[in-house]
Amino acid sequence: ITKEAKDNGAFKTPTLRSVALSGPYFHDGSADRLEDAVRYMASGGMRDPNKSALLENAQLTNAEIGQLVAFLRSLTSEEPAAKPPLP
């Protein structure tokens, strides 16, 4: 939108509400399971000239990956999300 080089590859971050129900994950659907998506992001993702320097390998253990997935699953809502009215 800004057409500025610093914003190349930027996007609006979607909500985490009910993220466990919203697979497949990523813009290309390359991660079928939530655990796969968490593992990929925790590893720092792939090399890309537009990738933020903040995204690096967190070197998480399998137990820590499991804890993150459990937390994300806890964000699942029992009530349906209502679509907001459009103007």
Side-chain angles (χ1 to χ4, degrees):
I1 293 174
T2 66
K3 306 221 190 258
E4 294 182 36
K6 70 178 183 69
D7 293 330
N8 192 17
F11 58 92
K12 183 179 177 195
T13 305
T15 181
L16 292 177
R17 180 180 182 197
S18 296
V19 69
L21 306 177
S22 64
Y25 303 94
F26 303 125
H27 70 283
D28 61 356
S30 61
D32 289 328
R33 300 179 318 132
L34 184 57
E35 181 179 340
D36 298 334
V38 170
R39 192 172 297 282
Y40 176 81
M41 294 306 294
S43 75
M46 69 168 82
R47 291 169 52 140
D48 186 305
N50 298 316
K51 184 174 84 170
S52 168
L54 298 174
L55 186 58
E56 58 185 38
N57 188 340
Q59 300 180 359
L60 299 180
T61 65
N62 287 333
E64 290 169 323
I65 296 285
Q67 290 169 343
L68 273 173
V69 171
F71 168 73
L72 292 170
R73 288 187 192 287
S74 77
L75 301 176
T76 300
S77 175
E78 296 296 321
E79 60 187 67
K83 292 184 180 181
L86 298 175

